Amino acid sequence: MEIKITHPDTLKEKPESSKLGFGKFFTDHMFVADYTAGQGWHDARIVPYGNISISPACTALHYGAEIFEGLKAYRRPDGEIQLFRPIENARRMNRSAARLTLPEFPEEDFIEALKTLINLDRDWVPSEPNTSLYIRPFLIGNDETLGVHSVQNATFYIILSPVGSYYKEGLNPVKIMIEDEDVRAVRGGTGEAKCGGNYAASNRAGYRAEQKGYSQVLWLDGVERKYIEEVGAMNVMFKINGTVVTPALTGSILPGITRKSIVEMLKKEGIPVEERRLSVEELAQSMADGSLEEAFGCGTAAVVSPIGELCYKDQVYIVNEGKIGELTQHLYDTLTGIQWGKLEDTYGWTMKI
Ligand SMILES: *Cc1c(COP(=O)(O)O)cnc(C)c1O
């Protein structure tokens, strides 16, 4: 792939590490490539970060033809920069593309685009503890027509945002409400695709939970509202009687790369782990009889997020006395250690750039 590079006239001032937050600041450059049916991907380019121009009739705006990815570049103690399993993001984006009949972007070009762009904006990768450069690839249907046809034109972008530490005061257990009204996704729908539409469907429940003082909702399956699926925009795991249980990927759950990595780590360390259906009754029972030892969400942004309290049909359960579980802390320390290059990567998950 040939990438044409255009630089901005002046480079932006970089924000202070303490003010980063999440997704508020963007770097100097962004990657763009266009797709035209019959021609394929063309005009790969890196241009100054800035507003984009699309037709008001653009498919992405009217019919939700949008998919995205999320990963991070980490500053190692030796000053080098590395990615965590980026090929998994490339593959998942293409599975999302297939589900929404958007064109797939070649994996090797995805990696090359990432590397080239991050190298140009290298100085934007922060080095304060637990900060990183968040990478947001996204792909939109870009046809200038209100007709509902297969996508003829699409555009792929990558933008970069330096982000702060997710946890300001260490790992903090959160309060979660089990949602039994709205559903996020159904099997056969788009639940396993990383698309903006899933987020639109989730917002109302998330907002209601916030109003009641909860951080996020625990989603149940869309058909029976019986089986646990995800927590907010993260996958979820429970340690019950010494075994880690996480919902099996049945089609309505997003296949998280953090989830996959934790399952692989647990297996390697000889800690029992099961990917299976877990009903809300079984979970409630495990909370009532004390066999639920730990609960946590997992995803790229937070890595792991301990759950300290769960509310189901107005009944409140406290998990592990509202404290971080030992295994949750261990998984957090190991995964972040590998990601930031502080621990040896015996899995071959990291890619220096
Ligand atoms: C991105 C995402 C996750 C987590 O995936 P990671 O690859 O671990 O970051 C989980 N659930 C939803 C709905 C997501 O969008």
Side-chain angles (χ1 to χ4, degrees):
M1 178 179 54
E2 200 185 306
I3 306 175
K4 185 170 176 260
I5 299 172
T6 317
H7 298 288
D9 295 334
T10 55
L11 298 182
K12 289 188 259 190
E13 208 175 300
K14 296 185 183 56
E16 272 175 50
S17 275
S18 61
K19 302 222 163 68
L20 288 175
F22 183 81
K24 291 195 293 185
F25 300 97
F26 296 93
T27 65
D28 291 309
H29 298 86
M30 63 183 185
F31 176 87
V32 189
D34 294 312
Y35 172 88
T36 310
Q39 188 185 350
W41 289 99
H42 57 90
D43 288 291
R45 58 201 184 272
I46 287 174
V47 297
Y49 177 88
N51 289 354
I52 56 174
S53 173
I54 51 174
S55 158
C58 170
T59 337
L61 297 178
H62 298 271
Y63 307 124
E66 189 265 357
I67 56 173
F68 66 96
E69 272 303 324
L71 69 162
K72 287 171 170 177
Y74 306 87
R75 179 78 68 181
R76 295 168 47 90
D78 60 13
E80 288 200 66
I81 294 165
Q82 67 186 20
L83 301 173
F84 184 75
R85 312 188 84 174
I87 197 73
E88 296 287 340
N89 295 92
R91 289 183 184 142
R92 183 172 65 191
M93 190 175 83
N94 284 338
R95 292 199 304 272
S96 301
R99 178 62 187 85
L100 274 79
T101 52
L102 285 164
E104 296 178 25
F105 193 77
E107 285 168 23
E108 58 281 9
D109 292 345
F110 182 98
I111 301 292
E112 188 188 341
L114 279 186
K115 284 184 168 176
T116 312
L117 180 64
I118 295 165
N119 262 322
L120 278 174
D121 285 339
R122 274 188 94 78
D123 293 346
W124 284 87
V125 183
S127 55
E128 291 290 304
N130 300 316
T131 62
S132 58
L133 184 72
Y134 186 77
I135 306 162
R136 169 54 60 86
F138 61 109
L139 201 164
I140 64 169
N142 208 355
D143 286 314
E144 298 182 25
T145 168
L146 295 178
V148 181
H149 305 285
S150 62
V151 169
Q152 302 293 303
N153 296 280
T155 309
F156 174 56
Y157 303 90
I158 306 173
I159 56 175
L160 307 173
S161 171
V163 298
S165 170
Y166 194 88
Y167 299 102
K168 291 276 175 294
E169 297 117 24
L171 278 184
N172 242 334
V174 292
K175 291 163 69 174
I176 299 295
M177 206 176 80
I178 301 181
E179 172 65 37
D180 55 7
E181 200 173 317
D182 286 3
V183 298
R184 191 190 80 91
V186 291
R187 263 192 286 165
T190 56
E192 61 184 357
K194 208 168 174 72
C195 63
N198 292 340
Y199 281 67
S202 311
N203 285 342
R204 184 172 70 174
Y207 177 74
R208 278 197 304 241
E210 255 175 52
Q211 298 294 94
K212 291 187 177 167
Y214 288 84
S215 311
Q216 262 306 342
V217 301
L218 188 72
W219 296 107
L220 302 180
D221 76 278
V223 178
E224 299 178 72
R225 290 185 179 64
K226 181 174 172 189
Y227 296 101
I228 309 288
E229 300 230 307
E230 298 198 48
V231 60
M234 286 186 276
N235 294 114
V236 67
M237 301 201 179
F238 302 92
K239 183 165 169 254
I240 304 171
N241 252 336
T243 297
V244 179
V245 180
T246 191
L249 301 176
T250 49
S252 46
I253 294 174
L254 198 288
I257 295 159
T258 317
R259 173 191 181 280
K260 179 176 176 165
S261 304
I262 290 176
V263 168
E264 289 172 31
M265 273 172 52
L266 291 169
K267 284 185 178 161
K268 190 164 171 188
E269 297 189 12
I271 298 164
V273 52
E274 292 173 359
E275 294 177 66
R276 63 169 170 89
R277 296 189 99 183
L278 173 66
S279 70
V280 67
E281 288 91 62
E282 183 185 345
L283 179 68
Q285 181 59 38
S286 77
M287 294 191 282
D289 68 19
S291 57
L292 178 71
E293 293 158 354
E294 301 183 28
F296 58 92
C298 58
T300 296
V303 190
V304 300
S305 177
I307 297 171
E309 181 178 323
L310 275 162
C311 176
Y312 183 51
K313 295 195 191 291
D314 295 326
Q315 169 98 34
V316 171
Y317 300 89
I318 305 295
V319 184
N320 191 37
E321 297 168 3
K323 297 193 300 247
I324 306 143
E326 206 178 305
L327 180 65
T328 308
Q329 183 74 52
H330 166 70
L331 292 168
Y332 177 82
D333 292 342
T334 312
L335 214 47
T336 55
I338 294 172
Q339 288 168 333
W340 271 273
K342 288 175 283 186
L343 287 181
E344 192 197 343
D345 173 16
T346 54
Y347 296 88
W349 283 339
T350 53
M351 179 190 280
K352 285 191 195 169
I353 56 171

